[in-house]
Amino acid sequence: MTLEETIQQAIKEAMKAKDMVAMNATRAIKSEILLFKTSEGGSKEVIDGDILKMIQKLVKQRREAADQYAAANRQELADNELSEAAVMEKFLPKQLSAEEVKTRIREIIAQTGAASIKDMGKVMAAANKALAGLSDGRTISGIVKELLG
């Protein structure tokens, strides 16, 4: 079963359970998938890696919105955003710890032969590809800078 099919099944289950938070979160993911498929005027085939990136983006958006709501003293809205983010994260693979990411990036640096911060682009390209869905870009970037700097 593809990730897209899993999400469609989760929408059905949320509707049956009348779980509005889960229904809104899964529908948001489905909406992103449909936008991706219809963009640029073609019938694109969407792969699980693309969907994982979309979900990560949506989770990040929810967390940022929750921070803004909390700063504006609107905790009920912040809680709703965090609840939706938690539902979305169920579709993501387990995130690697900072140490695991650091180990993987060391391997990538060795493979690419990077020696200085000038090689950061080469390392980032390989790291983003290898760690897609397993860690966020900010963490990867920070560790690459640390190891090359």
Side-chain angles (χ1 to χ4, degrees):
M1 181 178 271
T2 67
L3 188 54
E4 185 175 6
E5 292 167 343
T6 304
I7 291 165
Q8 188 62 43
Q9 186 64 34
I11 291 171
K12 290 177 187 174
E13 291 169 9
M15 290 172 76
K16 286 179 185 175
K18 295 183 179 12
D19 182 351
M20 293 304 292
V21 172
M23 194 165 53
N24 289 337
T26 51
R27 281 183 171 169
I29 296 169
K30 183 68 175 175
S31 174
E32 278 292 314
I33 293 169
L34 290 173
L35 284 171
F36 181 80
K37 284 182 172 181
T38 58
S39 67
E40 299 174 23
S43 62
K44 287 188 178 180
E45 199 53 39
V46 65
I47 58 172
D48 286 355
D50 293 330
I51 295 173
L52 290 176
K53 287 179 186 174
M54 289 178 217
I55 295 172
Q56 283 180 322
K57 182 181 93 171
L58 290 170
V59 168
K60 181 180 177 188
Q61 288 173 346
R62 296 297 186 283
R63 293 201 182 287
E64 288 172 354
D67 290 343
Q68 290 177 355
Y69 285 136
N73 240 2
R74 297 294 309 266
Q75 195 57 44
E76 71 282 356
L77 295 174
D79 292 342
N80 185 51
E81 293 290 332
L82 292 173
S83 297
E84 285 187 18
V87 170
M88 291 175 179
E89 285 177 331
K90 292 177 185 175
F91 298 104
L92 294 173
K94 182 184 171 290
Q95 299 289 296
L96 297 177
S97 70
E99 277 306 310
E100 292 169 320
V101 172
K102 198 175 270 191
T103 302
R104 293 261 187 103
I105 291 176
R106 281 189 183 113
E107 293 168 5
I108 292 168
I109 289 172
Q111 290 170 358
T112 59
S116 70
I117 199 75
K118 291 179 184 177
D119 300 319
M120 185 170 173
K122 186 169 35 171
V123 175
M124 283 298 295
N128 283 331
K129 192 172 187 179
L131 300 172
L134 301 174
S135 184
D136 65 78
R138 182 178 293 153
T139 303
I140 294 170
S141 175
I143 292 174
V144 170
K145 283 179 186 173
E146 174 188 329
L147 294 175
L148 290 178

